[in-house]
Amino acid sequence: MKARLVECASLVNQSLTPYVIFHEQLGGFHSDLHQHEQGQFIFAEQGCIHLHGQGKRMLVPRGYGVWIPGGIDHEIWSTSQYLQMRSICFPGNDEKSRLAPFIKVFPVNGLLREMIRYTERWAASENQDDRTGSFLMAIRDLLPEEIAKSGLAFLPSTANTRLQPVLEYINEHLQENIVLRNLAQEFGMSERTLSRLFALELDLSFSGYYKRARTMKALELIEQGCDSVSQLAFEVGYQSVSTFSNNFLEICGNRPLYFIHKD
């Protein structure tokens, strides 16, 4: 499926309204690398969204949201055929002192989900009255508490030329049992040196990164239609289904079946 190019910068920066509201079934798409003064809340109604910004590669699963502060270079994309994306951009001078200065991925509760769905009636309108503004401010006021529930569903990245190919190798060989000692030998390093690189560049251990990479891949496979927990475990290199399920729970806050059966 060919990815649709979406110029997010022009959508946001050329808007004539203080709150930019976007609702669309995009399918596979890829945005330009951009930033905007406004802080942005994105909700993945259906499908999952990839996001790269602030040195992190993140996956926003279905039913989760992401907060992107104003002034942050980022790009977003998806390979989900039926992606339904909802987004609100809040005025820059209104959100900066209230919300997180870092990109955050977090589960969206039922109230917030219904409120952002309700805003679809204003998506194509340039007439935002006091009622519209009050409703959108109520959403903004709910966000700090939800952002505080942010989880670990992201993969950090790095510009370090020694570590970059290691991360690429890990993500291309998730079905295999990757051992730190062998990985270090493969790239001409000692275990100690490679461990230090992970800690210094990613603030994660090798095992922590490996666990997250496997979980992120499992989330993608769920979005592509895999509905078997044992098959998911196999595809991302686990011999134990229970270990896979427990690690998935630690990172995503729910077990794989929650995402498999989520409407």
Side-chain angles (χ1 to χ4, degrees):
M1 180 177 63
K2 187 176 180 180
R4 169 186 175 186
L5 178 63
V6 176
E7 295 182 358
C8 293
S10 61
L11 287 173
V12 175
N13 294 331
Q14 294 179 18
S15 174
L16 301 177
T17 55
Y19 296 89
V20 183
I21 305 169
F22 180 83
H23 295 259
E24 190 167 343
Q25 186 166 337
L26 289 172
F29 81 100
H30 201 296
S31 82
D32 51 346
L33 178 65
H34 66 286
Q35 64 168 263
H36 30 75
E37 180 184 353
Q38 299 94 327
Q40 184 176 22
F41 167 46
I42 297 174
F43 173 54
E45 174 84 43
Q46 185 176 344
C48 59
I49 300 169
H50 294 264
L51 186 147
H52 187 197
Q54 291 186 317
K56 298 176 181 178
R57 292 187 181 274
M58 291 162 248
L59 184 71
V60 186
R62 177 179 51 184
Y64 275 56
V66 59
W67 169 253
I68 306 172
I72 299 296
D73 285 326
H74 62 281
E75 56 183 327
I76 54 178
W77 69 95
S78 177
T79 57
S80 298
Q81 184 177 0
Y82 301 107
L83 174 73
Q84 175 76 35
M85 193 175 89
R86 305 183 188 275
S87 171
I88 302 173
C89 289
F90 298 91
N93 60 1
D94 183 52
E95 58 82 16
K96 287 182 180 177
S97 63
R98 297 182 55 86
L99 299 174
F102 302 106
I103 296 173
K104 296 287 188 178
V105 177
F106 54 95
V108 172
N109 65 29
L111 173 61
L112 189 55
R113 180 171 61 248
E114 292 305 318
M115 289 179 75
I116 192 172
R117 285 173 177 167
Y118 188 84
T119 67
E120 187 168 2
R121 65 190 57 207
W122 298 309
S125 174
E126 294 183 359
N127 298 316
Q128 294 182 4
D129 55 21
D130 291 342
R131 177 172 172 268
T132 306
S134 296
F135 190 88
L136 295 171
M137 286 176 66
I139 292 178
R140 179 206 62 187
D141 291 342
L142 287 173
L143 286 177
E145 182 177 349
E146 299 309 307
I147 290 172
K149 301 172 185 175
S150 62
L152 305 175
F154 69 87
L155 273 181
S157 58
T158 177
N160 185 286
T161 55
R162 298 185 73 190
L163 191 55
Q164 262 189 338
V166 176
L167 302 186
E168 291 172 3
Y169 180 91
I170 291 171
N171 283 281
E172 290 170 2
H173 296 82
L174 290 174
Q175 198 172 27
E176 303 171 11
N177 181 28
I178 303 174
V179 179
L180 178 61
R181 178 181 64 256
N182 297 339
L183 187 64
Q185 290 175 351
E186 176 76 20
F187 288 90
M189 289 181 263
S190 68
E191 286 186 62
R192 185 176 182 182
T193 297
L194 185 53
S195 292
R196 282 180 173 177
L197 278 175
F198 272 96
L200 290 172
E201 295 292 328
L202 306 180
D203 197 27
L204 271 178
S205 65
F206 158 73
S207 61
Y209 181 88
Y210 189 24
K211 188 188 299 184
R212 288 201 204 180
R214 287 167 140 184
T215 301
M216 298 275 279
K217 181 62 177 179
L219 281 168
E220 289 188 78
L221 291 171
I222 290 170
E223 289 300 329
Q224 292 167 13
C226 184
D227 59 1
S228 165
V229 176
S230 59
Q231 182 65 27
L232 286 170
F234 171 77
E235 292 291 343
V236 296
Y238 282 92
Q239 294 182 342
S240 166
V241 174
S242 62
T243 300
F244 163 67
S245 183
N246 288 337
N247 288 345
F248 193 103
L249 172 65
E250 176 188 337
I251 291 170
C252 295
N254 287 286
R255 295 190 184 275
L257 281 175
Y258 171 84
F259 292 94
I260 289 172
H261 298 307
K262 189 172 179 63
D263 293 329

